[in-house]
Amino acid sequence: MAESALSVRNLWKVFGPDAEKLIGTPDLQLSRKDLLAKSGHVIGVKDVSFDVAPGEVFVVMGLSGSGKSTLVRLLTRLIEPTAGTVHLGDTELTAMSEEQLREVRRRQISMVFQHFGLLPHRKVIDNVGFGLEIRGEDKTTRRARAQNMVDLVGLSGYEQNFPDQLSGGMQQRVGLARALASDPEILMFDEPFSALDPLIRRDMQNEVIRLHHEVGKTMVFITHDLAEALKLGDRILIMRDGEIIQMGRPDEIIGAPADDYVKDFVSDVPKSHVLTLRWVMREPSSPDEGAGAPALKDSTIVRDAARAVLAHDGLVRVVDEHGAFVGVVDDEDILRVVVAEDS
């Protein structure tokens, strides 16, 4: 278990009066509509299992009603699971008492929601340090930590402002700083930017990327926006009707959609912005093919590789993360992807 920051196994959430009795019965194979008609129960999350690696940005996405927000609440037991387990490292959250769980929420997991939940009568510095106050940290310690987090999220100079004196984007930065102040092992985001204007939303996405590079926290990010998922996620889990439809790296989701639902979902994505060279390269005909040519990693995004490949007269060698020669690409391989986007 400890190899994963978060490990989820066979997690179910069934809403209804006798939910536990349904686990393991054939009724749970019915569609949502048929199950509701037969028993008055609704499946929120259906037999979900996955692992999140330490330091990974793991994105859960799906349309409204897919179960993604229910899932993130199950992970911290804001909603109690009907069945299944959730482990934080070696610790089973689903076996904890309420007191143990509160301590985990105070010290190991922080959440950032769409609605910022800032205390309107408290200044920025006090909002950021609120979790530390609840935890019993002394004023000097929590003020110093809160100031560091204010500086980290780019709000220096606004420490003494009240939330209603800030823009929506700035308020969400306060929420980020507050979540980071407790130095959690995992940050969980439940559609935190969906209420923001598009430009502010883009800035906040960039802020999450920057913060991840700086502090290296494990992050679970919930969104209904595919572009946001592709931009932020190391891996993406796509849900529909409470079930996992596909899970993989962004290039795997775009390059090999699991079914027509996912294929339709990703149809408008510019593939050259997501696919890597491993999706367009050809196997070398010999170990010496393209000898002396430039080499690019197989994880290079096609768009980023285009200039180097098009500028070189001939093949370009592709190597894996260890430097081993794994393939070749040329102008046609790159242009095939780019031209297909315009067709």
Side-chain angles (χ1 to χ4, degrees), residues 68-242:
K68 59 189 184 300
S69 289
T70 299
L71 175 60
V72 76
R73 284 164 170 76
L74 291 172
L75 300 182
T76 54
R77 283 178 56 194
L78 292 174
I79 299 175
E80 287 294 335
T82 306
T85 60
V86 179
H87 282 79
L88 181 65
D90 285 326
T91 306
E92 185 183 344
L93 297 180
T94 37
M96 286 184 173
S97 67
E98 285 295 327
E99 184 178 348
Q100 291 172 320
L101 192 57
R102 279 194 295 271
E103 194 63 18
V104 166
R105 290 173 184 159
R106 287 172 183 165
R107 298 182 180 276
Q108 295 175 271
I109 298 175
S110 287
M111 292 198 68
V112 182
F113 296 97
Q114 175 182 337
H115 302 291
F116 317 129
L118 303 181
L119 301 171
H121 60 287
R122 290 199 171 207
K123 295 176 180 179
V124 166
I125 193 76
D126 297 314
N127 266 285
V128 174
F130 183 68
L132 300 176
E133 183 180 344
I134 295 296
R135 210 160 76 180
E137 303 282 356
D138 65 81
K139 187 172 182 178
T140 301
T141 300
R142 69 175 183 260
R143 276 295 179 103
R145 175 68 178 171
Q147 185 62 57
N148 287 339
M149 294 304 100
V150 166
D151 296 339
L152 182 65
V153 301
L155 285 177
S156 303
Y158 292 92
E159 297 87 347
Q160 301 304 313
N161 287 64
F162 289 96
D164 64 0
Q165 296 173 314
L166 306 177
S167 67
M170 293 173 75
Q171 289 183 40
Q172 193 58 284
R173 286 174 187 266
V174 178
L176 275 174
R178 181 179 57 190
L180 288 164
S182 61
D183 194 24
E185 295 175 25
I186 294 183
L187 282 164
M188 295 191 181
F189 299 83
D190 188 10
E191 302 208 58
F193 311 141
S194 58
L196 300 176
D197 293 336
L199 290 178
I200 299 174
R201 182 171 186 160
R202 185 184 64 188
D203 288 344
M204 291 306 301
Q205 291 166 356
N206 292 335
E207 187 70 9
V208 168
I209 293 170
R210 181 184 71 82
L211 288 172
H212 184 253
H213 288 157
E214 290 197 23
V215 300
K217 296 292 183 185
T218 305
M219 297 180 177
V220 176
F221 199 100
I222 308 298
T223 184
H224 65 271
D225 186 284
L226 179 62
E228 186 167 74
L230 294 171
K231 182 174 183 177
L232 297 178
D234 295 316
R235 283 189 301 147
I236 299 169
L237 183 158
I238 297 179
M239 296 186 73
R240 181 184 63 203
D241 294 337

Side-chain angles (χ1 to χ4, degrees), residues 233-295:
D234 295 316
R235 283 189 301 147
I236 299 169
L237 183 158
I238 297 179
M239 296 186 73
R240 181 184 63 203
D241 294 337
E243 295 185 80
I244 295 176
I245 302 301
Q246 187 169 2
M247 181 166 53
R249 298 186 313 268
D251 61 305
E252 292 173 331
I253 301 292
I254 299 300
D259 61 11
D260 289 341
Y261 173 78
V262 179
K263 186 176 182 179
D264 185 56
F265 216 84
V266 305
S267 60
D268 293 331
V269 174
K271 290 182 171 53
S272 68
H273 293 209
V274 182
L275 292 183
T276 59
L277 290 182
R278 64 171 64 94
W279 291 93
V280 300
M281 69 184 188
R282 292 169 281 129
E283 290 188 9
S285 58
S286 73
D288 298 325
E289 187 175 15

